Amino acid sequence: MAILNVLTYPDPRLRRCAEAVKVVDDDTRKLIDDMAETMYTAPGIGLAAIQVDVRKRVIVIDVSEDQSALNVFINPVITASSGEQEREEGCLSVPGIYATVKRAESIVVNALDRSGSEFILEANGVLAVCIQHEIDHLNGKVFVDHLSRIKRDRIRKKLSKQERRGSETLAGSAVA
Ligand code: K1U
Ligand code: ZN
């Protein structure tokens, strides 16, 4: 398995739309295993293939306390949604930023599993939030798009500051 590089907002590659997986084969399963390892190492509770620069409709999610319940969704489609919930979200592509987003409370999702078999899952609470967040990624959307322009601008500035500080530290340690 391998740890993949996660793209950081506002990288334009996060804006691309992922394409449906035609055949679930060993390459797809290798991608899933690498994505799961990347998510667990980060650590995070979800990851979409577009975040690791792969334009395929593949998502991994594990909202358990002990990383014991990996959910894999290939070509996921939300077929029903109801209610509303507001939760604080984070994103491995928007490091250090957390904000409250409004989403559906319950969803029904159809997808393929890692063997290519179709399944239907009814989800609510944090799992439903995470599925909606990751499907947004597959459609080129990042959670900050749900926020006001003012908040988005503030986040962009904070991230560029963080990036500048990171490169200054790197440059400093190269000299030392
Ligand atoms: O980048 C991502 O899509 C992953 C993201 C998923 C997510 C989190 C919260 C709400 C919706 C979607 C993350 O995993 S951010 C990190 C995080 O939430 C977390 C990290 C360690 C332990 C528990 C949570
Ligand atoms: Zn995300």
Side-chain angles (χ1 to χ4, degrees), residues 41-66:
T41 305
I45 56 171
L47 192 68
I50 210 85
Q51 292 178 274
V52 292
D53 203 16
V54 176
R55 279 179 72 192
K56 288 185 181 169
R57 300 191 82 81
V58 176
I59 287 170
V60 294
I61 291 176
D62 189 342
V63 295
S64 70
E65 299 265 306
D66 54 357

CSV table of all heavy atoms in Angstrom, one decimal, residues 41-66:
chain,number,residue,atom,x,y,z
A,41,THR,N,-3.9,7.5,7.9
A,41,THR,CA,-2.6,8.1,8.3
A,41,THR,C,-2.8,9.6,8.6
A,41,THR,O,-2.1,10.1,9.5
A,41,THR,CB,-1.6,7.9,7.2
A,41,THR,OG1,-1.5,6.5,6.9
A,41,THR,CG2,-0.2,8.4,7.6
A,42,ALA,N,-3.7,10.2,7.8
A,42,ALA,CA,-3.8,11.7,7.9
A,42,ALA,C,-3.9,12.3,9.3
A,42,ALA,O,-3.1,13.2,9.7
A,42,ALA,CB,-4.9,12.2,7.0
A,43,PRO,N,-4.8,11.9,10.3
A,43,PRO,CA,-6.0,11.0,10.0
A,43,PRO,C,-7.2,11.8,9.6
A,43,PRO,O,-7.3,13.0,9.9
A,43,PRO,CB,-6.2,10.4,11.5
A,43,PRO,CG,-5.8,11.6,12.4
A,43,PRO,CD,-4.8,12.4,11.7
A,44,GLY,N,-8.1,11.0,8.9
A,44,GLY,CA,-9.4,11.6,8.5
A,44,GLY,C,-10.4,10.6,8.6
A,44,GLY,O,-10.2,9.4,8.9
A,45,ILE,N,-11.7,11.0,8.3
A,45,ILE,CA,-12.8,10.0,8.3
A,45,ILE,C,-13.4,9.8,6.9
A,45,ILE,O,-14.3,9.1,6.7
A,45,ILE,CB,-13.9,10.5,9.3
A,45,ILE,CG1,-14.4,11.9,8.9
A,45,ILE,CG2,-13.4,10.5,10.7
A,45,ILE,CD1,-15.7,12.3,9.7
A,46,GLY,N,-12.8,10.5,5.9
A,46,GLY,CA,-13.2,10.2,4.5
A,46,GLY,C,-12.2,10.7,3.6
A,46,GLY,O,-11.2,11.5,3.9
A,47,LEU,N,-12.3,10.3,2.3
A,47,LEU,CA,-11.4,10.7,1.3
A,47,LEU,C,-12.0,10.4,-0.1
A,47,LEU,O,-12.6,9.3,-0.3
A,47,LEU,CB,-10.0,10.0,1.4
A,47,LEU,CG,-8.9,10.6,0.5
A,47,LEU,CD1,-8.5,12.0,1.0
A,47,LEU,CD2,-7.6,9.7,0.5
A,48,ALA,N,-11.9,11.4,-1.0
A,48,ALA,CA,-12.5,11.1,-2.4
A,48,ALA,C,-11.3,11.1,-3.3
A,48,ALA,O,-10.3,11.8,-3.1
A,48,ALA,CB,-13.4,12.3,-2.8
A,49,ALA,N,-11.4,10.2,-4.4
A,49,ALA,CA,-10.2,10.0,-5.3
A,49,ALA,C,-9.7,11.3,-5.9
A,49,ALA,O,-8.5,11.5,-6.1
A,49,ALA,CB,-10.6,9.0,-6.4
A,50,ILE,N,-10.6,12.3,-6.1
A,50,ILE,CA,-10.2,13.5,-6.8
A,50,ILE,C,-9.2,14.3,-5.9
A,50,ILE,O,-8.3,15.0,-6.4
A,50,ILE,CB,-11.5,14.4,-7.0
A,50,ILE,CG1,-11.3,15.3,-8.2
A,50,ILE,CG2,-11.9,15.2,-5.9
A,50,ILE,CD1,-11.6,14.7,-9.5
A,51,GLN,N,-9.3,14.0,-4.5
A,51,GLN,CA,-8.3,14.7,-3.6
A,51,GLN,C,-6.9,14.2,-3.8
A,51,GLN,O,-5.9,14.8,-3.3
A,51,GLN,CB,-8.8,14.5,-2.1
A,51,GLN,CG,-10.0,15.2,-1.8
A,51,GLN,CD,-10.5,15.0,-0.4
A,51,GLN,OE1,-11.1,14.0,-0.1
A,51,GLN,NE2,-10.0,15.8,0.6
A,52,VAL,N,-6.8,13.0,-4.3
A,52,VAL,CA,-5.4,12.4,-4.6
A,52,VAL,C,-5.1,12.4,-6.1
A,52,VAL,O,-4.4,11.6,-6.6
A,52,VAL,CB,-5.3,11.0,-3.9
A,52,VAL,CG1,-5.3,11.1,-2.4
A,52,VAL,CG2,-6.3,10.0,-4.4
A,53,ASP,N,-5.8,13.4,-6.8
A,53,ASP,CA,-5.6,13.6,-8.2
A,53,ASP,C,-5.9,12.4,-9.1
A,53,ASP,O,-5.3,12.2,-10.1
A,53,ASP,CB,-4.1,14.1,-8.4
A,53,ASP,CG,-3.9,14.9,-9.7
A,53,ASP,OD1,-5.0,15.4,-10.2
A,53,ASP,OD2,-2.8,15.0,-10.1
A,54,VAL,N,-6.9,11.7,-8.7
A,54,VAL,CA,-7.4,10.6,-9.5
A,54,VAL,C,-8.9,10.9,-9.9
A,54,VAL,O,-9.7,11.0,-9.0
A,54,VAL,CB,-7.3,9.2,-8.8
A,54,VAL,CG1,-7.9,8.1,-9.7
A,54,VAL,CG2,-5.8,8.9,-8.5
A,55,ARG,N,-9.2,11.0,-11.2
A,55,ARG,CA,-10.5,11.5,-11.6
A,55,ARG,C,-11.5,10.3,-11.7
A,55,ARG,O,-12.0,10.0,-12.8
A,55,ARG,CB,-10.4,12.2,-12.9
A,55,ARG,CG,-10.0,13.7,-12.7
A,55,ARG,CD,-9.9,14.4,-14.0
A,55,ARG,NE,-11.2,14.6,-14.6
A,55,ARG,CZ,-11.4,15.0,-15.8
A,55,ARG,NH1,-10.4,15.2,-16.6
A,55,ARG,NH2,-12.6,15.3,-16.3
A,56,LYS,N,-11.7,9.6,-10.6
A,56,LYS,CA,-12.6,8.4,-10.6
A,56,LYS,C,-13.6,8.6,-9.5
A,56,LYS,O,-13.2,9.1,-8.4
A,56,LYS,CB,-11.8,7.1,-10.4
A,56,LYS,CG,-11.0,6.8,-11.7
A,56,LYS,CD,-10.4,5.4,-11.5
A,56,LYS,CE,-9.5,5.1,-12.7
A,56,LYS,NZ,-8.7,3.9,-12.5
A,57,ARG,N,-14.8,8.1,-9.7
A,57,ARG,CA,-15.9,8.2,-8.7
A,57,ARG,C,-15.7,7.2,-7.6
A,57,ARG,O,-16.4,6.2,-7.6
A,57,ARG,CB,-17.2,8.3,-9.3
A,57,ARG,CG,-17.4,9.4,-10.3
A,57,ARG,CD,-18.8,9.6,-10.8
A,57,ARG,NE,-19.6,10.4,-9.9
A,57,ARG,CZ,-19.6,11.7,-9.7
A,57,ARG,NH1,-18.7,12.5,-10.5
A,57,ARG,NH2,-20.3,12.3,-8.9
A,58,VAL,N,-14.7,7.4,-6.8
A,58,VAL,CA,-14.4,6.4,-5.7
A,58,VAL,C,-14.2,7.2,-4.4
A,58,VAL,O,-13.6,8.3,-4.3
A,58,VAL,CB,-13.0,5.7,-6.0
A,58,VAL,CG1,-12.7,4.8,-4.8
A,58,VAL,CG2,-13.2,4.9,-7.3
A,59,ILE,N,-14.8,6.7,-3.3
A,59,ILE,CA,-14.8,7.3,-2.0
A,59,ILE,C,-14.5,6.3,-0.9
A,59,ILE,O,-15.0,5.1,-1.0
A,59,ILE,CB,-16.2,7.9,-1.7
A,59,ILE,CG1,-16.5,9.2,-2.5
A,59,ILE,CG2,-16.4,8.2,-0.2
A,59,ILE,CD1,-17.9,9.6,-2.4
A,60,VAL,N,-13.7,6.6,0.1
A,60,VAL,CA,-13.6,5.8,1.3
A,60,VAL,C,-14.0,6.6,2.5
A,60,VAL,O,-13.7,7.8,2.5
A,60,VAL,CB,-12.1,5.2,1.4
A,60,VAL,CG1,-11.8,4.2,0.3
A,60,VAL,CG2,-11.1,6.3,1.5
A,61,ILE,N,-14.7,5.9,3.4
A,61,ILE,CA,-15.1,6.6,4.6
A,61,ILE,C,-15.0,5.6,5.8
A,61,ILE,O,-15.4,4.4,5.6
A,61,ILE,CB,-16.6,7.0,4.5
A,61,ILE,CG1,-16.7,8.2,3.4
A,61,ILE,CG2,-17.2,7.5,5.8
A,61,ILE,CD1,-18.2,8.6,3.1
A,62,ASP,N,-14.6,6.1,6.9
A,62,ASP,CA,-14.7,5.3,8.2
A,62,ASP,C,-14.9,6.3,9.3
A,62,ASP,O,-14.0,7.0,9.7
A,62,ASP,CB,-13.3,4.6,8.4
A,62,ASP,CG,-13.5,3.6,9.6
A,62,ASP,OD1,-14.4,3.7,10.4
A,62,ASP,OD2,-12.6,2.7,9.7
A,63,VAL,N,-16.2,6.3,9.8
A,63,VAL,CA,-16.5,7.2,10.9
A,63,VAL,C,-16.5,6.5,12.3
A,63,VAL,O,-16.9,7.1,13.3
A,63,VAL,CB,-17.9,7.9,10.7
A,63,VAL,CG1,-17.9,8.7,9.5
A,63,VAL,CG2,-19.0,6.8,10.6
A,64,SER,N,-15.9,5.3,12.3
A,64,SER,CA,-15.8,4.6,13.6
A,64,SER,C,-14.7,5.2,14.5
A,64,SER,O,-13.9,5.9,14.0
A,64,SER,CB,-15.5,3.1,13.4
A,64,SER,OG,-14.2,3.0,12.9
A,65,GLU,N,-14.8,4.9,15.8
A,65,GLU,CA,-13.8,5.5,16.7
A,65,GLU,C,-12.4,4.8,16.5
A,65,GLU,O,-11.4,5.5,16.8
A,65,GLU,CB,-14.2,5.1,18.2
A,65,GLU,CG,-15.6,5.7,18.6
A,65,GLU,CD,-15.5,7.0,19.3
A,65,GLU,OE1,-14.7,7.0,20.3
A,65,GLU,OE2,-16.1,8.0,18.8
A,66,ASP,N,-12.4,3.6,16.1
A,66,ASP,CA,-11.1,2.8,16.1
A,66,ASP,C,-10.7,2.3,14.7
A,66,ASP,O,-10.0,1.3,14.5
A,66,ASP,CB,-11.3,1.6,17.0
A,66,ASP,CG,-12.5,0.7,16.7
A,66,ASP,OD1,-13.2,1.1,15.7
A,66,ASP,OD2,-12.7,-0.3,17.3
